[in-house]
């Protein structure tokens, strides 16, 4: 059986607190993630990671969280996008219009 871990945090004058690193790791929390509180009759409060709303793409969310962590950990890896690269991309996709609200065809799903 896994050991129970206990951690503490302090409330500020504005009733805010920092979620301890141990808790963030256990719940796989990243910046801007939501936290769900369950308050039990005896006063015990259970803290869990809030489920993503319907329609949110969990794969995209995980990828974006990965990028946030990687950029924060390795800012030296960031590179400016070269103007010639932008022109090359525009030459490949120039004139193509995309309706992001249009339903995908059966072949595209």
């Amino acid at each position: 059986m896994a050991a129970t871990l206990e951690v503490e945090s302090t409330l500020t004058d504005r009733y805010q607190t920092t979620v301890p690193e141990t808790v963030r790791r256990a719940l796989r929390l990243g910046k801007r993630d939501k936290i769900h509180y369950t308050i039990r009759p005896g006063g015990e409060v259970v803290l869990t990671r809030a489920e993503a709303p319907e329609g949110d793409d969990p794969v995209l969310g995980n990828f974006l969280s990965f990028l946030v962590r990687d950029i924060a950990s390795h800012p030296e890896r960031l590179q400016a996008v070269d103007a010639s690269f932008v022109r090359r991309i525009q030459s490949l996709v120039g004139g193509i219009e995309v309706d992001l609200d249009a339903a995908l065809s059966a072949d595209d799903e």
Side-chain angles (χ1 to χ4, degrees), residues 39-104:
I39 303 169
R40 296 189 174 158
E44 181 181 47
V45 177
V46 178
L47 180 80
T48 56
R49 179 188 174 108
E51 294 298 319
E54 281 284 318
D56 280 4
D57 184 338
V59 173
L60 180 58
N62 287 338
F63 176 68
L64 293 175
S65 294
F66 162 76
L67 287 179
V68 166
R69 288 189 309 273
D70 191 58
I71 290 169
S73 299
H74 303 286
E76 72 281 1
R77 294 180 184 170
L78 293 178
Q79 297 178 8
V81 176
D82 172 283
S84 64
F85 182 63
V86 172
R87 285 192 297 277
R88 173 73 175 137
I89 291 171
Q90 289 171 335
S91 75
L92 295 171
V93 297
I96 298 174
E97 293 196 23
V98 176
D99 180 0
L100 296 175
D101 295 321
L104 293 175

Side-chain angles (χ1 to χ4, degrees), residues 10-38:
T10 303
L11 285 177
T12 67
D13 292 335
R14 295 178 60 195
Y15 297 98
Q16 297 174 331
T17 188
T18 299
V19 178
E21 180 184 6
T22 306
V23 175
R24 291 192 313 264
R25 267 191 274 122
L27 297 178
R28 297 182 330 269
L29 292 172
K31 292 181 181 178
R32 312 302 300 171
D33 282 345
K34 295 192 181 290
I35 298 170
H36 178 82
Y37 299 88
T38 303

Side-chain angles (χ1 to χ4, degrees), residues 3-9 20 22-23:
T4 300
L5 298 176
E6 294 185 22
V7 294
E8 293 181 355
S9 64
T22 306
V23 175

